[in-house]
Coordinates of all heavy atoms in Angstrom, one line a residue:
Q1 N 0.8 -1.3 0.0 CA 0.0 0.0 0.0 C 0.9 1.3 0.0 O 1.9 1.3 0.7 CB -0.9 0.0 1.2 CG -2.1 1.0 1.2 CD -3.0 0.8 2.3 OE1 -3.4 1.7 2.9 NE2 -3.4 -0.5 2.6
V2 N 0.4 2.2 -0.7 CA 1.1 3.6 -0.8 C 0.1 4.7 -0.5 O -0.9 4.8 -1.0 CB 1.6 3.8 -2.2 CG1 2.4 5.1 -2.2 CG2 2.5 2.7 -2.7
D3 N 0.5 5.5 0.5 CA -0.2 6.6 0.9 C 0.3 7.7 0.0 O 1.3 8.4 0.4 CB -0.1 6.9 2.4 CG -1.0 8.1 2.8 OD1 -1.3 9.0 2.0 OD2 -1.3 8.2 4.0
V4 N -0.2 8.0 -1.2 CA 0.3 8.9 -2.0 C 0.3 10.5 -1.5 O 1.1 11.2 -1.9 CB -0.3 8.8 -3.5 CG1 0.0 7.6 -4.1 CG2 -1.8 9.1 -3.4
G5 N -0.7 10.7 -0.8 CA -0.8 12.1 -0.2 C 0.3 12.5 0.7 O 0.8 13.5 0.6
R6 N 0.8 11.5 1.5 CA 2.0 11.7 2.4 C 3.2 11.2 1.8 O 4.2 11.2 2.5 CB 1.6 11.0 3.7 CG 0.3 11.5 4.4 CD 0.1 10.7 5.7 NE -1.1 11.2 6.4 CZ -1.6 10.7 7.5 NH1 -1.1 9.6 8.0 NH2 -2.7 11.1 8.0
E7 N 3.1 10.6 0.6 CA 4.3 10.0 0.0 C 5.0 9.0 0.9 O 6.3 9.0 1.1 CB 5.3 11.1 -0.5 CG 4.7 12.1 -1.4 CD 5.6 13.0 -2.0 OE1 6.9 12.8 -1.9 OE2 5.3 14.1 -2.5
E8 N 4.2 8.1 1.5 CA 4.7 7.1 2.4 C 4.3 5.7 1.9 O 3.2 5.5 1.3 CB 4.1 7.2 3.7 CG 4.6 8.5 4.5 CD 4.0 8.7 5.9 OE1 3.1 7.8 6.2 OE2 4.4 9.5 6.7
I9 N 5.2 4.7 2.1 CA 4.9 3.4 1.8 C 4.3 2.8 3.1 O 4.9 2.9 4.2 CB 6.1 2.6 1.5 CG1 6.9 3.1 0.2 CG2 5.9 1.1 1.3 CD1 6.1 3.1 -1.0
V10 N 3.1 2.1 3.1 CA 2.6 1.5 4.1 C 3.0 0.0 3.9 O 2.6 -0.7 3.1 CB 1.1 1.5 4.2 CG1 0.5 0.7 5.3 CG2 0.7 2.9 4.2
L11 N 4.0 -0.4 4.7 CA 4.7 -1.7 4.4 C 3.8 -2.8 4.9 O 3.8 -3.3 6.0 CB 6.0 -1.8 5.2 CG 6.9 -2.8 4.8 CD1 7.3 -2.9 3.3 CD2 8.2 -2.9 5.6
D12 N 3.0 -3.4 3.9 CA 2.2 -4.6 4.2 C 2.3 -5.4 2.9 O 1.3 -5.7 2.3 CB 0.7 -4.3 4.5 CG 0.1 -3.4 3.3 OD1 0.8 -2.9 2.5 OD2 -1.1 -3.5 3.3
P13 N 3.5 -5.8 2.5 CA 3.7 -6.5 1.3 C 3.0 -7.8 1.2 O 3.0 -8.6 2.2 CB 5.2 -6.8 1.2 CG 5.8 -6.7 2.6 CD 4.8 -5.6 3.3
R14 N 2.2 -8.1 0.2 CA 1.5 -9.3 -0.1 C 2.0 -9.8 -1.3 O 1.9 -9.2 -2.4 CB 0.0 -9.0 -0.1 CG -0.5 -8.3 1.1 CD -2.0 -8.2 1.2 NE -2.4 -7.3 2.3 CZ -3.7 -7.1 2.6 NH1 -4.6 -7.5 1.8 NH2 -4.0 -6.3 3.6
R15 N 2.3 -11.1 -1.3 CA 2.7 -11.9 -2.5 C 1.5 -12.2 -3.4 O 0.5 -12.4 -2.9 CB 3.5 -13.2 -2.1 CG 4.8 -12.9 -1.7 CD 5.7 -14.2 -1.5 NE 7.1 -13.9 -1.5 CZ 8.0 -14.9 -1.5 NH1 7.6 -16.2 -1.7 NH2 9.3 -14.6 -1.5
V16 N 1.8 -12.2 -4.7 CA 0.9 -12.6 -5.6 C 1.0 -14.0 -6.0 O 2.2 -14.6 -6.1 CB 1.0 -11.8 -7.0 CG1 -0.1 -12.1 -7.9 CG2 1.0 -10.3 -6.6
D17 N 0.0 -14.8 -6.1 CA 0.0 -16.2 -6.4 C 0.8 -16.4 -7.8 O 0.9 -15.6 -8.6 CB -1.4 -16.8 -6.6 CG -2.1 -16.9 -5.2 OD1 -1.4 -16.8 -4.1 OD2 -3.4 -17.0 -5.3
P18 N 1.4 -17.6 -7.9 CA 2.1 -17.9 -9.1 C 1.2 -17.8 -10.3 O 0.0 -18.0 -10.3 CB 2.6 -19.3 -8.9 CG 2.5 -19.6 -7.4 CD 1.4 -18.7 -6.9
I19 N 1.9 -17.5 -11.5 CA 1.2 -17.2 -12.7 C 1.7 -18.3 -13.7 O 2.8 -18.8 -13.6 CB 1.4 -15.8 -13.3 CG1 2.9 -15.5 -13.4 CG2 0.7 -14.7 -12.4 CD1 3.3 -14.1 -14.0
P20 N 0.9 -18.6 -14.8 CA 1.2 -19.6 -15.7 C 2.4 -19.2 -16.6 O 3.0 -20.2 -17.3 CB -0.1 -19.9 -16.5 CG -0.8 -18.6 -16.4 CD -0.4 -18.0 -15.0
C21 N 2.6 -18.0 -16.9 CA 3.6 -17.6 -17.9 C 4.8 -17.0 -17.2 O 4.8 -15.8 -16.9 CB 2.9 -16.6 -18.9 SG 4.0 -16.1 -20.3
H22 N 5.8 -17.7 -17.1 CA 7.0 -17.3 -16.4 C 8.1 -17.0 -17.3 O 8.7 -17.9 -17.9 CB 7.5 -18.3 -15.3 CG 8.6 -17.8 -14.5 ND1 8.4 -17.0 -13.5 CD2 9.9 -18.1 -14.5 CE1 9.6 -16.7 -12.9 NE2 10.5 -17.4 -13.5
T23 N 8.3 -15.8 -17.7 CA 9.4 -15.4 -18.6 C 10.0 -14.0 -18.3 O 9.5 -13.4 -17.3 CB 8.9 -15.4 -20.1 OG1 10.0 -15.3 -21.0 CG2 7.9 -14.3 -20.4
R24 N 10.8 -13.5 -19.1 CA 11.4 -12.2 -18.9 C 11.4 -11.4 -20.2 O 11.4 -12.0 -21.3 CB 12.9 -12.2 -18.4 CG 13.2 -13.0 -17.2 CD 14.7 -13.1 -16.9 NE 15.3 -13.7 -18.1 CZ 16.7 -13.6 -18.3 NH1 17.4 -12.8 -17.5 NH2 17.2 -14.1 -19.4
S25 N 11.2 -10.1 -20.2 CA 11.2 -9.3 -21.3 C 12.5 -9.4 -22.1 O 12.5 -9.4 -23.3 CB 11.0 -7.8 -20.9 OG 9.7 -7.6 -20.5
T26 N 13.6 -9.7 -21.3 CA 14.9 -9.9 -22.0 C 14.9 -11.0 -22.9 O 15.3 -10.9 -24.1 CB 16.0 -10.1 -20.9 OG1 16.1 -9.0 -20.0 CG2 17.4 -10.4 -21.6
D27 N 14.2 -12.1 -22.6 CA 14.1 -13.3 -23.4 C 13.3 -13.0 -24.7 O 13.6 -13.4 -25.8 CB 13.5 -14.5 -22.7 CG 14.2 -15.0 -21.5 OD1 15.4 -14.7 -21.4 OD2 13.5 -15.5 -20.6
V28 N 12.3 -12.2 -24.5 CA 11.4 -11.8 -25.6 C 12.2 -10.9 -26.6 O 12.1 -11.2 -27.8 CB 10.2 -10.9 -25.1 CG1 9.3 -10.4 -26.3 CG2 9.3 -11.8 -24.3
R29 N 13.0 -10.0 -26.1 CA 13.7 -9.1 -27.0 C 14.8 -10.0 -27.8 O 15.1 -9.8 -28.9 CB 14.5 -8.1 -26.2 CG 13.5 -7.1 -25.6 CD 14.3 -5.8 -25.1 NE 15.3 -6.1 -24.2 CZ 15.1 -6.2 -22.8 NH1 13.9 -6.1 -22.3 NH2 16.1 -6.5 -22.0
I30 N 15.5 -10.9 -27.1 CA 16.4 -11.7 -27.7 C 15.8 -12.5 -28.8 O 16.3 -12.7 -30.0 CB 17.2 -12.7 -26.7 CG1 18.0 -11.9 -25.8 CG2 17.9 -13.7 -27.4 CD1 18.7 -12.6 -24.7
N31 N 14.7 -13.1 -28.6 CA 14.0 -14.0 -29.6 C 13.6 -13.1 -30.9 O 13.8 -13.6 -32.0 CB 12.9 -14.7 -29.0 CG 13.2 -15.9 -28.1 OD1 14.5 -16.3 -28.1 ND2 12.3 -16.4 -27.4
F32 N 13.0 -12.0 -30.6 CA 12.6 -11.1 -31.8 C 13.8 -10.6 -32.5 O 13.8 -10.5 -33.8 CB 11.6 -10.1 -31.3 CG 10.2 -10.5 -31.2 CD1 9.7 -11.0 -29.9 CD2 9.4 -10.6 -32.3 CE1 8.5 -11.4 -29.8 CE2 8.0 -11.0 -32.1 CZ 7.6 -11.5 -30.9
A33 N 14.8 -10.2 -31.9 CA 16.0 -9.7 -32.5 C 16.6 -10.8 -33.4 O 17.3 -10.5 -34.3 CB 17.0 -9.2 -31.5
A34 N 16.5 -12.0 -33.0 CA 17.0 -13.1 -33.7 C 16.1 -13.6 -34.9 O 16.4 -14.6 -35.6 CB 17.3 -14.4 -32.9
G35 N 15.0 -12.9 -35.1 CA 14.1 -13.2 -36.1 C 13.0 -14.2 -35.7 O 12.3 -14.7 -36.6
G36 N 12.8 -14.4 -34.5 CA 11.9 -15.5 -34.0 C 10.7 -14.8 -33.4 O 10.3 -13.6 -33.8
T37 N 10.1 -15.5 -32.5 CA 8.9 -15.0 -31.7 C 9.0 -15.5 -30.3 O 10.1 -16.0 -30.0 CB 7.6 -15.4 -32.4 OG1 6.5 -14.8 -31.8 CG2 7.4 -16.9 -32.4
H38 N 7.9 -15.4 -29.6 CA 7.9 -15.9 -28.2 C 6.6 -16.4 -27.8 O 5.6 -15.6 -28.1 CB 8.5 -14.8 -27.2 CG 8.9 -15.4 -26.0 ND1 8.0 -15.7 -25.0 CD2 10.2 -15.6 -25.4 CE1 8.6 -16.2 -23.8 NE2 9.9 -16.2 -24.1
Y39 N 6.5 -17.6 -27.2 CA 5.1 -18.1 -26.9 C 4.4 -17.2 -25.9 O 3.1 -17.4 -25.9 CB 5.4 -19.5 -26.3 CG 5.8 -19.5 -24.9 CD1 4.9 -19.7 -23.8 CD2 7.1 -19.4 -24.5 CE1 5.4 -19.7 -22.5 CE2 7.6 -19.4 -23.2 CZ 6.6 -19.6 -22.2 OH 7.1 -19.6 -20.9
C40 N 5.0 -16.4 -25.1 CA 4.4 -15.7 -24.1 C 4.1 -14.3 -24.5 O 3.9 -13.4 -23.6 CB 5.1 -15.8 -22.9 SG 4.3 -15.5 -21.3
V41 N 4.0 -14.0 -25.7 CA 3.6 -12.6 -26.2 C 2.4 -12.7 -27.0 O 2.1 -13.6 -27.8 CB 4.8 -12.1 -27.2 CG1 4.4 -10.8 -27.8 CG2 6.1 -11.9 -26.4
D42 N 1.5 -11.8 -26.7 CA 0.2 -11.6 -27.4 C 0.5 -11.5 -28.9 O 1.3 -10.7 -29.3 CB -0.6 -10.4 -26.9 CG -2.0 -10.2 -27.5 OD1 -2.0 -9.9 -28.6 OD2 -3.0 -10.4 -26.7

């Protein structure tokens, strides 16, 4: 949570459940630069 008016972080970090598509933008760029594609890109 962020209190934007006071510019403060309210430290209550909550993890997000795992997601089905685990990749990095770096991998996407490498594949497209090589003339390929990537399964995790719309």
Side-chain angles (χ1 to χ4, degrees):
Q1 197 172 132
V2 181
D3 186 333
V4 290
R6 298 178 182 174
E7 301 187 17
E8 291 179 351
I9 303 294
V10 180
L11 191 61
D12 62 340
R14 302 183 187 184
R15 285 188 160 194
V16 184
D17 288 343
I19 55 175
C21 185
H22 186 74
T23 190
R24 302 176 305 160
S25 292
T26 300
D27 299 335
V28 175
R29 295 193 300 274
I30 288 174
N31 285 351
F32 277 94
T37 185
H38 196 283
Y39 77 98
C40 204
V41 173
D42 184 288

